[in-house]
Structures are given as structure tokens and as C-alpha cells.
Amino acid sequence: MIKGITAVAAVASGEAFERLGSLFRALGFESGKGWEDNGGKGSAFLAPVGNLELVTGRAPAVPALLVEVTQLDAVYDAVRAWMLSTEGGAFRTEEIVVRLTAVAATHWNSRLFTVELAPGLKLGFWESENALHGKPIAVEGDLSAAGKRFAIVVARWNAVITDRLLQGSLDALHRSGAKAEDIEIVRVPGAWEIPSAARMLAETKRVHAVITLGVLLRGETAHYEAIYNEVARGIGQSAQETGVPHAFGVLTCETLEQALDRAGLKAGNKGFEAAIAAIEMASIQDKIGQVR
Ligand code: DLZ
């Protein structure tokens, strides 16, 4: 399955390498994992969308290194400001006129400008006139739990099931990079008590997300619907009012057999799934915070 594309651009000199890296960082590229050995070094820059374009017939009229952007005019201003700054090489205005082309329309329904940072090191920035060109940019959470703290609230009622849900959650957290000391487990008597314990933990603000685990069996539970609604409402309310993501891992099943299936037997492990949702939401919260 295809995951992404990496285009490797050889940069002639160390100075040009540093300069290009500085520009990309100034424009807000996300840095990827770099490398360095005796023979050279590499810097990775990540973008939400990548294309590899093969061309035949005629030589392309654009630089080999092209960055697709939104708000091309703002990017133009940012590049110009960077060129004037010391990090960008403190180019003189006359030099900028030569090296930085004006934004111009292309014959492929786009606008483009190019910048020559050093001899042989030219790159282009372009924006499609079709605002929906390419994949819409969306903020998505990473599935890395490294460096994050989690609380798990687990009901003791129906422990034969909830213990399995707990194992599923711990499995997901550990496999995603969470450390054992960053996971707090709180046991409560039954599903009814989950919302208040979740809220106590969320209010401490010492965790990035709370995972709630329990099982309500219709056959065993008087006023099943009323209890279920309160538990769901309480967990949702705690998430909204504290701003701490809460993952919902409270099973509602007709029978014990059905619950066992959802706790790792036949239908996945809902504890695992809830932990993955918590990890993703903790990351989304970080990212949305960064955007602001
Ligand atoms: C009392 C009760 C019943 C009948 N059924 C369940 C259930 O299916 N799942 C569950 O997690 N808890 C149940 N409980 C216990 C309540 O959630 C609660 O812990 C007690 O009523 C004490 O407040």
C-alpha cells in the first residue's frame, strides 16, 4: 500500500543546503527525520500532500523543486522578507529583483513564482486557481502516544470483560509509545461511577486524555436505558467542560457473550479502539493548539 512519496533533491553545497533549510523552516514546513554520516547529511521536510511528476517530450518550464501552497501572494511576501533577513542571506533589493520572479499565470490554470537561492538552486512556489485542487488539507491526529499521559477509568462490575478491555487499552498505549509511568489506572465500582471519576482526573489537568471502560448488560441492569444515557452524557459533559479528550469504551450489550466478543474474542477489543481514539484526540488537541 502506498503511504507517501519522497523526492530526494541533491543540493550542491553545504551553504545552499543550510539556506534552503532555513527558508523551508521560515515558511512553516514540518521537519522530518534528518540524518548525517561521514559522507553527507540529509534534512527532511514534510508536507500534507506529495506528488511525483514524471515528464517526457519537452523540458519542464518549471524548477524541479516545486512547492504547492495556498495564499501564494502571502508566501511571496514571506520569501521576500526572508531574503532580506540575515538568515536568508541579506540579499540587496537589486539582487532580489533578479532572483525572485513576480507571480505570473501559467498555462496550467495556476500562478507561480520562482526564486534562485544560489547558482543552480532554483525553486518554484505555485497555487492552483482551483481551490479544491489536490487533497483538502485537514488536521489529523498522529497515533503516537510518546510523551503523553493517559488515565484509564475502568469499572469493576463485569470485571471478566472490563479486565480484557483494560488489557486492550494498555496494549494500544504501550504499542504506540506510552510509558507505563505515564498511565494512571483508576478502578470504580460500576459504570455509573465512571463519569465522576473521569471528571476528577480530567480536572487535575495532569493527563492528555481519559479512557473510560465499562460494560452495561441489558439483562442484568434495571433501568438500563436511563443508566446508559446518564453514563454517556456524563462522560461527554466531562470532556466538553474540562477540554480534556475522553474516549468512550463503555460497552452496552444484550448478553455476556456479546460483550466477550467485543472485548477481544470475535469483534476486536473496544478497549484497544478507545485507547487509539484517545491517542488520536490528544494529538489533535496539540495540533489545533499549534494552529491557534
Ligand atoms: C447495579 C448495576 C447493575 C444492575 N448493572 C451494572 C452493569 O451492567 N454494569 C455496570 O458497570 N454496573 C452495573 N451496576 C452497578 C452500577 O453501575 C453502580 O456501580 C452501582 O449502582 C453503585 O452506584
Side-chain angles (χ1 to χ4, degrees), residues 15 19 22 79-96 99 117:
E15 193 194 341
R19 185 167 288 181
S22 157
V79 171
R80 195 169 187 286
W82 175 84
M83 290 176 87
L84 287 166
S85 72
T86 38
E87 301 85 60
F91 287 97
R92 293 191 316 277
T93 320
E94 315 84 79
E95 264 185 297
I96 293 181
R99 290 174 180 262
L117 296 180

Side-chain angles (χ1 to χ4, degrees), residues 13 17 20 37 54 91 121 123 129 167 248 257 263:
S13 69
F17 177 91
L20 193 51
D37 62 21
L54 305 179
F91 287 97
L121 182 62
L123 66 152
E129 279 168 14
Q167 288 314 317
F248 191 79
E257 192 190 0

Side-chain angles (χ1 to χ4, degrees), residues 225-242:
E225 253 88 28
I227 291 182
Y228 171 72
N229 285 337
E230 270 308 289
V231 172
R233 193 190 56 77
I235 293 172
Q237 200 171 340
S238 173
Q240 284 150 18
E241 289 177 6
T242 62

Side-chain angles (χ1 to χ4, degrees), residues 157-158 189-193 215-217 220-221:
W157 194 280
N158 293 318
W192 182 254
E193 284 74 28
V215 180
L216 282 161
L217 292 178
E220 284 180 13
T221 316

Side-chain angles (χ1 to χ4, degrees), residues 17-180:
F17 177 91
E18 297 304 337
R19 185 167 288 181
L20 193 51
S22 157
L23 174 61
F24 281 179
R25 278 185 288 275
L27 292 176
F29 267 90
E30 189 181 337
S31 291
K33 197 167 181 297
W35 57 270
E36 181 158 14
D37 62 21
N38 294 338
K41 58 182 171 177
S43 274
F45 295 93
L46 313 179
V49 182
N51 294 310
L52 179 62
E53 193 167 310
L54 305 179
V55 177
T56 185
R58 61 182 155 81
V62 291
L65 205 49
L66 277 182
V67 182
E68 183 179 359
V69 299
T70 57
Q71 300 177 318
L72 187 68
D73 300 297
V75 173
Y76 181 89
D77 291 344
V79 171
R80 195 169 187 286
W82 175 84
M83 290 176 87
L84 287 166
S85 72
T86 38
E87 301 85 60
F91 287 97
R92 293 191 316 277
T93 320
E94 315 84 79
E95 264 185 297
I96 293 181
V97 172
V98 178
R99 290 174 180 262
L100 182 66
T101 68
V103 173
T106 68
H107 64 274
W108 31 283
N109 293 332
S110 299
R111 296 186 312 133
L112 168 104
F113 73 84
T114 66
V115 57
E116 190 173 19
L117 296 180
L121 182 62
K122 198 183 231 189
L123 66 152
F125 291 87
W126 69 283
E127 179 177 24
S128 172
E129 279 168 14
N130 171 9
L132 298 178
H133 178 266
K135 187 178 160 227
I137 296 172
V139 175
E140 283 178 277
D142 301 325
L143 292 183
S144 167
K148 298 241 165 13
R149 293 181 305 279
F150 297 87
I152 305 177
V153 182
V154 54
R156 250 186 254 110
W157 194 280
N158 293 318
V160 65
I161 314 284
T162 59
D163 277 352
R164 287 166 189 251
L165 296 176
L166 177 61
Q167 288 314 317
S169 289
L170 291 173
D171 187 24
L173 291 176
H174 288 312
R175 282 210 249 161
S176 307
K179 290 202 196 110

